[in-house]
Amino acid sequence: MSVGKGRETMAPQHFLSQFSDKPRYNTKAVAQETGVPADTFRAWERRYGVPRPQRTEGGHRLYSERDIATIRWLRDRTAEGLTISQAIALMIDGSETSLSWLNTAVDTEPHTWERMQARMISALVDFDATRAEQILGEAFALYPLEDVFLKLIQPAMVEIGEQWHAGRISVTAEHFATQFIRRKLSSLFNTYNVTEGRGLIVVGCAPSEQHDLGALMLAVFLVRHGWQVIYLGPEVPVKDLLDAVRHIQPDLVCLSASTTETATQLLEIGRALQQLPPPTPLFGYGGRAFNLNPILTHKMPGTFLGRDAQEAVENVASLLSRSR
């Protein structure tokens, strides 16, 4: 299947009319082909009526080549800086200013990050996956994926973690929230991950570090930017990591730590990586421990990658371009 790679500079409707409207592809195939999460284009469908899949007798969506081309086109326009509503208006009539037709579809309450964070926290601590899915769908329909995770998911999970430490919510609620977000990130990682990319990067956590959502988010951001990533998850033992590095010879090893104790463990790993025979990988690190206590970076070998996954992606690109 190869859809949407023609002359996209022509009028959107004329460009899209070139593709078949015969329903053939399921949701998973569309996500893999376009690189757009299923939550995102299903949210576009609910809010704006675009794309327009048909349904099987069992109620499952089936998409056409035209739907796939539409999703690709909207993805590219939002990547260029348009909001999704502007992109859809441009696709419909060629004008970003004619948006009145959207009024009936758009929620009249403000979609501020603070409001969505409060709704997401409430849904997760109530064990309400359906409501959390709806909130995520709204967010994906309005904002780029990276913004949703950095401005909605990450602050919400930090707040849930703090409430758990303070005894205001149960450990089961915290675990439910963590697993819900882990499933979303894992699905995105599997959707975007490539077998060949700009370079090979190992991502994981310090040997005693159990909290891996930050590392998994970084892995997702990296694969979305074309890097090949091997994700090792939480609690990566030093010896096993070094054995893996000798075997796969990555360009960069990125590890995360959320506490002072686990951050200290990265000191040993960084030094051990530097002593490996060539080709020696670069070493990058980050996590909540370094954000809360920047002095930890002073004696750490390697490179502090930044305060969040977006900064880390930018620093990874700079680091590897300099090394080459």
Side-chain angles (χ1 to χ4, degrees), residues 118-129 131-133 135 176:
R119 292 171 59 206
M120 177 61 74
I121 292 168
S122 175
L124 291 174
V125 299
D126 286 343
F127 304 94
D128 193 338
R131 186 153 49 101
E133 292 275 9
I135 295 164
F176 172 83

Side-chain angles (χ1 to χ4, degrees), residues 24-308:
R24 297 175 56 189
Y25 307 106
N26 63 24
T27 300
K28 182 178 180 180
V30 174
Q32 290 175 338
E33 176 68 12
T34 63
V36 176
D39 286 340
T40 299
F41 58 77
R42 284 199 297 258
W44 294 347
E45 178 192 344
R46 288 194 304 270
R47 180 170 290 274
Y48 305 117
V50 177
R52 297 176 180 174
Q54 297 188 32
R55 298 273 185 164
T56 65
E57 291 183 359
H60 299 291
R61 291 174 173 86
L62 279 182
Y63 297 83
S64 66
E65 290 185 352
R66 187 175 300 175
D67 290 323
I68 292 175
T70 298
I71 294 168
R72 281 185 181 277
W73 191 90
L74 292 172
R75 176 202 65 191
D76 293 345
R77 302 295 79 75
T78 56
E80 292 168 356
L82 295 182
T83 65
I84 185 61
S85 60
Q86 289 173 327
I88 289 174
L90 185 63
M91 183 185 70
I92 296 297
D93 64 6
S95 171
E96 295 177 37
T97 60
S98 180
L99 299 175
S100 59
W101 66 278
L102 294 173
N103 288 343
T104 57
V106 178
D107 187 352
T108 55
E109 293 189 65
H111 287 273
T112 63
W113 292 117
E114 291 79 10
R115 176 175 175 253
M116 285 193 289
Q117 288 167 19
R119 292 171 59 206
M120 177 61 74
I121 292 168
S122 175
L124 291 174
V125 299
D126 286 343
F127 304 94
D128 193 338
T130 300
R131 186 153 49 101
E133 292 275 9
Q134 292 172 343
I135 295 164
L136 268 187
E138 292 175 15
F140 283 134
L142 292 166
Y143 302 106
L145 183 145
E146 283 84 358
D147 282 354
V148 173
F149 279 98
L150 291 177
K151 298 180 182 180
L152 171 59
I153 298 302
Q154 186 167 285
M157 292 306 298
V158 168
E159 177 63 22
I160 287 172
E162 290 178 352
Q163 288 189 24
W164 170 61
H165 282 295
R168 294 194 293 271
I169 66 171
S170 67
V171 66
T172 51
E174 190 275 339
H175 283 5
F176 172 83
T178 298
Q179 294 307 318
F180 177 87
I181 300 305
R182 178 175 284 110
R183 289 195 302 272
K184 291 299 173 187
L185 286 166
S186 297
S187 176
L188 289 169
F189 180 77
N190 292 332
T191 296
Y192 287 105
N193 199 19
V194 293
T195 56
E196 295 182 2
R198 299 165 63 183
L200 179 58
I201 302 174
V202 168
V203 178
C205 295
S208 299
E209 181 59 63
Q210 298 178 353
H211 299 91
D212 72 323
L213 289 188
L216 184 52
M217 188 181 300
L218 172 60
V220 171
F221 282 31
L222 287 169
V223 295
R224 272 176 56 83
H225 285 78
W227 301 96
Q228 183 184 357
V229 174
I230 293 178
Y231 182 66
L232 301 181
E235 298 183 297
V236 181
V238 178
K239 181 181 181 302
D240 293 321
L241 173 66
L242 295 176
D243 288 344
V245 168
R246 291 188 190 97
H247 177 65
I248 62 179
Q249 298 185 354
D251 299 292
L252 174 67
V253 175
C254 298
L255 297 179
S256 175
S258 66
T259 68
T260 300
E261 178 186 1
T262 56
T264 302
Q265 294 173 341
L266 297 186
L267 184 64
E268 176 189 355
I269 293 177
R271 289 171 176 169
L273 288 171
Q274 290 178 338
Q275 294 172 6
L276 290 177
T280 305
L282 297 172
F283 174 53
Y285 61 89
R288 187 167 172 78
F290 301 99
N291 293 348
L292 295 177
N293 189 6
I295 198 171
L296 292 172
T297 66
H298 292 178
K299 295 184 178 180
M300 189 72 63
T303 302
F304 175 58
L305 295 176
R307 297 182 60 83
D308 59 43

